[in-house]
Amino acid sequence: MEIKAWNLVLFSCLLLSLLASPSSAQTCVSQTFPDNKQYVNCTDLRALSSYLHWTYHQSNGTVEMAFRHTGTTSSRWSAWGINPSGPSMVGTQALVAFVNSSGVTQAFTTSIDSLFPTLQPTDLSFQVPSLSTTFENDEMTIFGVLRIPENMLSTSQVWQEGPVSNDQLQPHTTDGANLQSRGSINFLTGQSAGASSDSRTRRRNVHGVLNTVSWGILMPLGAITARYMKVFKSADPAWFYLHVACQSSAYVVGVAGWATGIKLGSDSPGITHNPHRTIGIILFCFGTLQVFALLLRPNKNHKYRLYWNIYHHSIGYSVIILSIVNIFEGFDILNPEDKWERIYIGILIFLGAVATLLEAFTWYVVIRRKRTNKHPLAMNGANGHGQGV
């Protein structure tokens, strides 16, 4: 059991490091532009299949840039902007592009001043001497020249996309990659960080890993330990202590993950994930009830022990089912690479296979034990005095 625990710790650490580390491959270096236009710097933005190219001209204090959004359609708008106040939507000075109902691309500037902007053309806090856009091969590219003051050369960047209906730009979704499309940019040094470098995204990843390992792996593992080890008399009371250790560890780690989720919610006004949040609160309450159940556990021969067992098993299996459901809700929100969801599905399949095999073996042991107890004299011969062959 100690080896399994260490394997889970190593798995969670590996998961954290991989989720928190951006890929070193740069697709942007192979992208080309009309008239063989070249830019000094480029970066692959982590979310929404987007890329940023730019050149800073120190002589006149301008940034010549191109924002490319791939895999989009003519019925969706694309936007990129910078926000001196931080990596958030409100305060962003944005460049927006879309294809109108006549099939003509349009680009304009807009200052985002609320969580529900109208995305109408407005002036920015800095000058934009040049702005244009193209749409071809399912790629929207915004070209611009920005005259940015020195105190904004190192700033936050935000990019986004959403639907267009009857030439009206509709609100974007508030989950998955649309919540990861933020980071930082230094036009002078060429350094850029997408959402993977944002502390909020790291907290989201930590939240996901903690809850997956605790509620989604340790909890089922603890239940398997209790159900199948206690059948063997030689494992009593070792199975109980292993069960308590596993479930207690899961609860402590799970509460830490739950607390990070509450903090993320408080730091994200206007963004709600009601099903995920509700199930998370229920899990915390049920988990806490299980801790108190341990303190109130009656003796084996107590008249209320049967009712305690019903309560304990009902809450326990409910926690496992809700945990798995909520973890997949979290995958939909966090929107990591597909391999992480496949890894977790593989772990569930493995635990399910182990539980199935142990269930069959447990029934075999129980049935055999009942038959032995039903015919105790068969152990000592036909006459019960050891005279049989």
Side-chain angles (χ1 to χ4, degrees):
M1 184 59 65
E2 290 181 358
I3 294 176
K4 289 182 178 179
W6 275 111
N7 286 338
L8 286 172
V9 172
L10 291 174
F11 170 76
S12 61
C13 291
L14 175 63
L15 204 61
L16 278 169
S17 63
L18 290 175
L19 282 173
S21 301
S23 173
S24 58
Q26 289 285 309
T27 303
C28 65
V29 296
S30 62
Q31 294 179 335
T32 58
F33 296 96
D35 301 325
N36 293 321
K37 178 65 179 177
Q38 300 290 323
Y39 296 89
V40 174
N41 303 291
C42 77
T43 185
D44 294 4
L45 300 177
R46 183 176 184 269
L48 301 178
S49 302
S50 299
Y51 309 87
L52 182 67
H53 303 253
W54 78 94
T55 300
Y56 176 59
H57 301 284
Q58 194 167 7
S59 59
N60 59 8
T62 61
V63 174
E64 194 173 4
M65 52 75 60
F67 169 75
R68 174 163 288 174
H69 178 202
T70 64
T72 186
T73 68
S74 59
S75 61
R76 302 190 70 80
W77 56 264
S78 303
W80 173 89
I82 60 176
N83 191 344
S85 60
S88 60
M89 181 169 67
V90 178
T92 297
Q93 307 295 293
L95 313 179
V96 185
F98 72 103
V99 180
N100 64 24
S101 56
S102 300
V104 179
T105 56
Q106 291 184 228
F108 62 90
T109 62
T110 186
S111 180
I112 310 297
D113 55 6
S114 72
L115 290 173
F116 305 99
T118 58
L119 293 180
Q120 296 299 314
T122 59
D123 292 333
L124 303 184
S125 61
F126 50 83
Q127 295 180 0
V128 182
S130 175
L131 181 63
S132 62
T133 183
T134 61
F135 178 79
E136 55 185 17
N137 300 322
D138 295 331
E139 294 181 349
M140 182 75 77
T141 305
I142 303 175
F143 300 93
V145 176
L146 318 178
R147 183 164 283 114
I148 299 177
E150 290 187 4
N151 63 347
M152 293 176 62
L153 289 177
S154 179
T155 186
S156 298
Q157 63 173 333
V158 179
W159 60 100
Q160 200 52 260
E161 64 94 33
V164 178
S165 177
N166 298 323
D167 288 345
Q168 298 297 313
L169 278 59
Q170 306 298 315
H172 64 80
T173 59
T174 56
D175 57 9
N178 293 87
L179 290 181
Q180 301 178 17
S181 53
R182 63 186 75 195
S184 61
I185 182 75
N186 191 315
F187 294 110
L188 183 61
T189 65
Q191 294 179 340
S192 174
S196 58
S197 297
D198 180 56
S199 62
R200 182 175 178 276
T201 299
R202 287 198 298 271
R203 281 184 286 142
R204 283 159 53 89
N205 291 337
V206 169
H207 167 74
V209 171
L210 289 177
N211 286 307
T212 300
V213 172
S214 58
W215 302 104
I217 299 178
L218 285 176
M219 280 288 182
L221 191 61
I224 290 173
T225 301
R227 177 164 178 81
Y228 302 113
M229 284 189 66
K230 67 181 179 181
V231 174
F232 305 98
K233 296 179 180 179
S234 60
D236 192 13
W239 71 265
F240 173 73
Y241 296 116
L242 286 172
H243 173 65
V244 171
C246 196
Q247 302 302 74
S248 298
S249 300
Y251 178 73
V252 171
V253 177
V255 168
W258 178 79
T260 60
I262 295 297
K263 177 61 176 174
L264 284 168
S266 65
D267 291 344
S268 307
I271 299 174
T272 58
H273 304 289
N274 288 328
H276 186 67
R277 180 175 180 269
T278 301
I279 296 175
I281 293 173
I282 294 173
L283 283 174
F284 172 74
C285 295
F286 279 8
T288 304
L289 284 175
Q290 289 291 68
V291 172
F292 283 110
L294 175 64
L295 302 176
L296 300 174
R297 179 173 176 258
N299 294 326
K300 291 182 179 180
N301 298 324
H302 196 281
K303 63 179 181 179
Y304 292 127
R305 181 58 181 261
L306 174 63
Y307 304 107
W308 184 91
N309 285 340
I310 295 174
Y311 152 78
H312 184 61
H313 293 161
S314 300
I315 296 295
Y317 287 122
S318 297
V319 165
I320 292 174
I321 294 171
L322 288 174
S323 297
I324 294 172
V325 170
N326 215 30
I327 285 168
F328 283 105
E329 286 281 341
F331 277 126
D332 290 339
I333 295 170
L334 191 58
N335 195 29
E337 295 182 40
D338 291 341
K339 64 179 180 181
W340 299 117
E341 188 169 356
R342 289 196 294 267
I343 288 173
Y344 182 62
I345 292 174
I347 292 173
L348 289 181
I349 293 173
F350 172 75
L351 291 176
V354 170
T356 301
L357 292 174
L358 290 175
E359 185 73 23
F361 183 70
T362 298
W363 277 104
Y364 167 77
V365 171
V366 170
I367 293 173
R368 183 179 179 183
R369 185 177 296 164
K370 285 183 177 181
R371 287 177 178 175
T372 301
N373 293 336
K374 187 176 181 180
H375 304 287
L377 297 182
M379 299 294 294
N380 296 315
N383 58 9
H385 295 284
Q387 300 299 320
V389 177

